[in-house]
Amino acid sequence: FAAAVGLTICSHSKVEDHFGCLYEVTCEKPASLPAPDENPKPLAVGDLVMVEGLVGAKEHNGCTGILRSSDADTGRWAVEVATGVTAKRRMKHLKIKPENLHQMMPAGIVT
C-alpha cells in the first residue's frame, strides 16, 4: 500500500547482541510513483474524499471525509467530514454533490 500512494517504505529486523535486542530499521523511497489512474473509479461508499468548490459552506472546502451513502432523490452523497482544527476536530455529516467531491482513495484499496 505504501508504495501505491508514494510513501516511504520501511522495514525492520530484530538484531541480537550482547547488549540485548535491537531493531534495525531500513527506509527508502519507492523507485517511481505509480501513474495516476486515467479512468478513476466511480464514487462508492467507503471512499476517502476531499470536499472542494462549495460556495455556501466554504469552511468545509479542503476537509476530508468518508462517503457513507448516496441519495438517489437529491443526487448528493452523505459524507462524514472531519471539521475543525486538530485539537477540536469533530465529525460532521453533510450532503454534498458529487462534483464537489475529489476521490482521494477508493474504498477497498487497502486489503
Side-chain angles (χ1 to χ4, degrees):
F1 166 77
V5 295
L7 299 175
T8 301
I9 300 170
C10 290
S11 62
H12 69 278
S13 57
K14 187 175 178 181
V15 178
E16 304 236 10
D17 65 8
H18 60 279
F19 294 110
C21 292
L22 300 174
Y23 288 91
E24 180 179 68
V25 177
T26 306
C27 295
E28 60 187 44
K29 293 260 185 197
S32 64
L33 296 176
D37 192 350
E38 292 182 18
N39 298 311
K41 295 181 181 183
L43 293 175
V45 171
D47 284 1
L48 175 65
V49 295
M50 181 171 53
V51 179
E52 57 189 12
L54 295 181
V55 176
K58 292 180 184 179
E59 68 273 13
H60 299 303
N61 289 332
C63 292
T64 57
I66 303 290
L67 297 181
R68 295 300 181 198
S69 64
S70 177
D71 185 335
D73 293 335
T74 64
R76 295 175 185 244
W77 280 91
V79 186
E80 187 175 18
V81 178
T83 63
V85 293
T86 304
K88 296 182 180 182
R89 188 154 299 255
R90 293 185 309 262
M91 299 307 285
K92 191 168 187 176
H93 297 273
L94 304 173
K95 297 277 187 159
I96 303 175
K97 295 177 185 176
E99 57 265 24
N100 294 114
L101 298 170
H102 173 76
Q103 186 182 52
M104 296 176 65
M105 185 181 308
I109 195 168
V110 180
T111 56

